[in-house]
Amino acid sequence: MEQLYKENAKIVYRYLLSLCRNRTLAEDLTQETFLRAYQSLERYDGSCRLSTWLCQIGRHIWYQHLEKNKREIPMEPEDGPAPVHSRPEETVISKMELMDTLKEMQKLPPQMREVIYLRTAAELSFREIGEVLGKSENWARVNFYRGKEMLIKAARAAEWEET
């Protein structure tokens, strides 16, 4: 079990962090994921990668957490380390652009938003995303592309309004 944890904990943690955007909660959910995986290891049939199976468990635990706490998914991520910029105004502009993108992502349909999170934050392949969400690889690819196009369109519209 320790080897299983060492090989997959980072993937599961990053995935859960992409869902909840809270480091402490993601750590707790990761621990709960591995506890439940240990308790149901005999049900793992090998039809998908172990990391995918663990992410499915983590996703289920995340939804249980939301239901139990009756809370909305937070709009803004927990503050993380700021990117290094040579000038303070670059840091402010970068942070504003990130916040605009995250706000636009909240307007996307939930599954499309989740596909984008899984691809960008958890760095899962389209095949793995399809497995986690119970859909096809092609479905994940199409939803990622459409979501990305919607974000680009919103960014262009915002630029157009500013000029």
Side-chain angles (χ1 to χ4, degrees), residues 4 8 12 33-34 37 50-59:
L4 172 93
N8 297 286
V12 173
T33 298
F34 280 92
L50 191 57
S51 60
T52 301
W53 181 67
L54 291 167
C55 286
Q56 289 172 334
I57 294 171
R59 180 174 180 239

Side-chain angles (χ1 to χ4, degrees), residues 11 36 40 63 77 83 98 103-105 107 110 118 120 151 162-163:
I11 294 168
R36 292 212 194 153
S40 61
Y63 285 139
L98 174 62
K103 286 177 184 176
E104 285 301 319
M105 282 185 68
K107 296 176 185 177
L118 289 171
T120 57
L151 292 173
E162 291 175 2
T163 58

Side-chain angles (χ1 to χ4, degrees), residues 8 48 72 111 114 129 133 136-137:
N8 297 286
C48 62
E72 295 292 316
Q111 284 194 322
E114 193 166 5
I129 293 168
L133 299 178
S136 71
E137 177 180 346

Side-chain angles (χ1 to χ4, degrees), residues 11 13 19 27 30 52 58 72 102-103 127 152 159:
I11 294 168
Y13 170 77
L19 294 176
E27 289 172 3
T30 300
T52 301
E72 295 292 316
L102 290 171
K103 286 177 184 176
R127 183 182 58 77
I152 290 169
E159 286 177 14

Side-chain angles (χ1 to χ4, degrees), residues 79-137:
D79 286 337
V84 178
H85 296 285
S86 58
R87 298 182 299 173
E89 59 269 17
E90 289 177 355
T91 302
V92 171
I93 290 170
S94 176
K95 193 157 193 132
M96 288 172 57
E97 289 171 350
L98 174 62
M99 292 308 299
D100 290 343
T101 301
L102 290 171
K103 286 177 184 176
E104 285 301 319
M105 282 185 68
Q106 291 300 314
K107 296 176 185 177
L108 296 175
Q111 284 194 322
M112 188 176 287
R113 183 173 57 234
E114 193 166 5
V115 168
I116 292 173
Y117 285 142
L118 289 171
R119 182 71 177 166
T120 57
E123 299 175 358
L124 296 180
S125 70
F126 290 116
R127 183 182 58 77
E128 292 170 323
I129 293 168
E131 288 175 2
V132 167
L133 299 178
K135 304 285 186 176
S136 71
E137 177 180 346

Side-chain angles (χ1 to χ4, degrees), residues 13 17 22-29 78:
Y13 170 77
L17 183 61
N22 179 302
R23 288 184 183 99
T24 305
L25 179 57
E27 289 172 3
D28 292 345
L29 295 174
E78 187 179 90

